[in-house]
Amino acid sequence: MNLFRILGDVSHLLAMILLLGKIWRSKSCRGISGKSQALFALVFTTRYLDLFTNFISLYNTVMKVIFLLCSYVTVYMIYWKFWKSFDSENDTFRLEFLLVPVTGLSFLENYSFTPLEILWTFSIYLESVAILPQLFMISKTGEAETITTHYLFFLGLYRALYLANWIWRYHTENFYDQIAVVSGVVQTIFYCDFFYLYVTKVLKGKKLSLPMPV
């Protein structure tokens, strides 16, 4: 454990709480991609299958449970409790474009050809692209609510802090996880353009808006 890892986890947790709070207070999930949230729920499910078989620390176990619960509750609120406000017309990213290559890659590039290891690898690859339906939805509608942009910012910050965590661990422990690092870099790159818009618009009190696709 190091400061970058802890701050990354806090940022990740804050992002999920912001999203849940937004849905609960507004009684609406408009502007939120249900497909992205379903992918994140799948990420946590396949990654934390060792929850009851491999105890690392109390902190690790508690965080796993919290992330699982938050992701399941978010999906429940989008597709069941507040389904009438779900913007299905704009949440149209085709998930097979992500799931098929990610599944294939997890079988080809992994550390051990065992079910749990393949599913863990699958979760790492999938997390790197799970936000794409949300970004696609924003580009399609041309704008995003402020609270949604805060959610995306802290989600992106979590990945950036984890990159710092991996650099720190490489220099202090000589530890290097190629799959996690490469996937994390890819995911962070997806957020770069959003970070720029967040700093130049949202932090100045302006609404984030994008050019509508032609």
Side-chain angles (χ1 to χ4, degrees), residues 185-208:
V185 170
V186 170
Q187 187 176 1
T188 305
I189 290 173
F190 287 140
Y191 286 96
C192 286
D193 185 50
F194 171 79
F195 281 150
Y196 172 77
L197 293 173
Y198 185 85
V199 171
T200 58
K201 290 190 175 182
V202 179
L203 292 184
K204 294 181 179 180
K206 301 177 182 178
K207 189 172 184 178
L208 189 148

Side-chain angles (χ1 to χ4, degrees), residues 44-57:
F44 296 132
T45 301
T46 52
R47 182 174 304 172
Y48 299 150
L49 289 173
D50 64 345
L51 182 61
F52 301 107
T53 61
N54 185 22
F55 180 80
I56 298 175
S57 68

Side-chain angles (χ1 to χ4, degrees), residues 121-142:
T121 305
F122 170 84
S123 77
I124 297 296
Y125 292 148
L126 182 60
E127 186 182 19
S128 69
V129 295
I131 199 62
L132 288 181
Q134 180 67 65
L135 297 177
F136 178 77
M137 188 176 187
I138 292 175
S139 69
K140 190 173 182 181
T141 59

Side-chain angles (χ1 to χ4, degrees), residues 1 14 26 32-34 45 47 56 58-59 90 117 127-128 157 160 180 183 193 205:
M1 293 294 292
L14 182 57
S26 65
I32 299 172
S33 169
T45 301
R47 182 174 304 172
I56 298 175
L58 180 61
Y59 172 85
N90 289 312
E117 187 65 30
E127 186 182 19
S128 69
L157 181 61
S183 298
D193 185 50

